[in-house]
């Protein structure tokens, strides 16, 4: 099994995860195995999408960047009701 690079969270990300009743474990599961990813409008930032037990059927969007030391830095995470997987109608 591949080991994940270390994951760090900005204060905003920690606040959002708590506010949205998500868990860091769910966020890291999405980072490790996203259903799909897209580029964020912010350069260098990637959006990873997946499902979390806490949100039922709603997709969760995790915005992150990879720092110079290889860590994944989570900028924000929240349910995204407008998210549609590629190829979905």
């Amino acid at each position: 099994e591949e080991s994940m690079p270390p994951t760090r969270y900005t204060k905003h990300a920690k606040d959002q995860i708590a506010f949205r009743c998500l868990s860091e474990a769910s966020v890291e599961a999405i980072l490790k195995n996203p259903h799909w990813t897209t580029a964020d409008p912010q350069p260098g930032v990637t959006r990873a999408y997946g499902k979390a037990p806490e949100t039922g059927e709603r997709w969760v969007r995790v915005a992150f960047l990879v720092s110079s030391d290889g860590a994944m830095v989570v900028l924000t995470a929240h349910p995204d009701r407008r998210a549609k997987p590629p190829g979905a109608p």
Side-chain angles (χ1 to χ4, degrees):
E1 163 153 351
E2 279 184 63
S3 68
M4 276 272 290
T7 306
R8 293 200 295 263
Y9 296 83
T10 63
K11 180 179 185 315
H12 175 77
K14 285 190 177 229
D15 290 347
Q16 285 296 307
I17 289 165
F19 178 65
R20 310 281 181 174
C21 300
L22 294 167
S23 68
E24 290 185 6
S26 292
V27 168
E28 288 169 29
I30 292 168
L31 287 175
K32 187 171 187 174
N33 190 18
H35 279 256
W36 79 98
T37 60
T38 60
D40 188 86
Q42 201 174 319
V45 177
T46 301
R47 294 175 175 182
Y49 293 86
K51 295 215 169 143
E54 304 92 327
T55 60
E57 288 307 297
R58 283 168 68 189
W59 293 106
V60 175
R61 178 168 88 196
V62 179
F64 72 96
L65 54 80
V66 178
S67 70
S68 56
D69 65 359
M72 298 175 96
V73 180
V74 177
L75 306 175
T76 192
H78 57 82
D80 185 347
R81 60 170 55 93
R82 291 186 304 241
K84 284 196 168 56

